[in-house]
Amino acid sequence: MIDLSPYPHLSQINSPADLRNFPADELPEIAKEMREFMLVALNQCGGHFAGNLGTVELTLAIHYLFNTPEDRLVWDVGHQAYPHKILTGRRDQITTIRQNHGLAPFPTRSESPYDTFGVGHSSTSISAALGMSIAAKLQGSDRKTVAIIGDGAMSAGMVFEALNHAGAIKANMLVILNDNDMSISGNVGALSNYFANILASKLYTGFRQGSK
């Protein structure tokens, strides 16, 4: 087990409910501690460094704002879900990822009620979240549903089928595009090139700088 004394905030967080007890202005320090903790942990067991280091603040924000596990989070593929596992009661087991009888490297329903969908293949999160959103509506529940998907996974046909369906029925769900320019390999195809041209355009660059 990793010594938690260097992480005074993170050591107190055993669930998202604990995270929500902290004032919002302490979240940057929690993010710093989590990133340092992951560097130590993944140095011991291996795993996906870049994708997880890049979703620390995003993961903290989502769990801080939404009432998980009642509200549903669906991570696409799961390469970026280590911070999610750390926040949801699996911090002390994080070094067992990819080990025999250890934590799964992806969200796994049998592992935690916070893992709402078992994933391994990309581009399925929006379809899964849409199904959960429809189920909540049929049950008369105000439960929220969030899908988190990367730009690499956005080029698959299943994504557009789900977006088309969700838009047609006006589903009560949130889709977060984690546009981190990362994939298991280089993105290819017309859609990837189209996104690249948009991101490189003067209009987008000016809008981004102005919004800051």
Side-chain angles (χ1 to χ4, degrees), residues 196-212:
N197 289 334
I198 289 177
L199 295 175
S201 68
K202 290 183 179 179
L203 178 63
Y204 176 82
T205 303
F207 175 78
R208 184 176 182 181
Q209 292 300 322
S211 65
K212 289 181 180 179

Side-chain angles (χ1 to χ4, degrees), residues 101-125:
H101 303 301
L103 295 180
F106 306 120
T108 304
R109 293 176 64 195
S110 61
E111 193 176 280
S112 170
Y114 293 91
D115 293 359
T116 60
F117 187 63
V119 295
H121 196 281
S122 77
S123 311
T124 59
S125 60

Side-chain angles (χ1 to χ4, degrees), residues 49-110:
F49 268 98
N52 288 290
L53 292 174
T55 56
V56 170
E57 285 84 0
L58 174 61
T59 305
L60 288 170
I62 294 171
H63 277 293
Y64 195 80
L65 293 173
F66 288 92
N67 182 32
T68 55
E70 173 61 21
D71 292 335
R72 305 292 200 255
L73 304 185
V74 184
W75 297 89
D76 204 273
V77 184
H79 286 128
Q80 71 273 45
Y82 292 7
H84 163 78
K85 287 179 180 269
I86 291 170
L87 286 179
T88 54
R90 290 165 281 182
R91 178 196 60 226
D92 297 340
Q93 291 82 44
I94 202 68
T95 55
T96 69
I97 281 182
R98 299 155 62 103
Q99 310 296 316
N100 190 30
H101 303 301
L103 295 180
F106 306 120
T108 304
R109 293 176 64 195
S110 61

Side-chain angles (χ1 to χ4, degrees), residues 116-181:
T116 60
F117 187 63
V119 295
H121 196 281
S122 77
S123 311
T124 59
S125 60
I126 300 178
S127 293
L130 175 58
M132 296 176 193
S133 176
I134 293 172
K137 182 178 181 179
L138 291 174
Q139 294 168 351
S141 170
D142 61 355
R143 183 176 67 232
K144 308 296 190 299
T145 308
V146 183
I148 306 98
I149 187 169
D151 53 300
M154 278 294 292
S155 58
M158 184 181 292
V159 170
F160 289 90
E161 292 175 4
L163 289 173
N164 186 51
H165 188 182
I169 66 173
K170 300 186 181 344
N172 181 20
M173 59 182 289
L174 173 67
V175 177
I176 298 176
L177 173 60
N178 179 24
D179 190 2
N180 58 6
D181 199 26

Side-chain angles (χ1 to χ4, degrees), residues 5-28:
S5 59
Y7 317 105
H9 294 80
L10 191 62
S11 62
Q12 300 179 56
I13 299 174
N14 296 303
S15 72
D18 296 329
L19 173 68
R20 297 177 201 119
N21 288 329
F22 287 94
D25 59 7
E26 292 188 28
L27 292 181

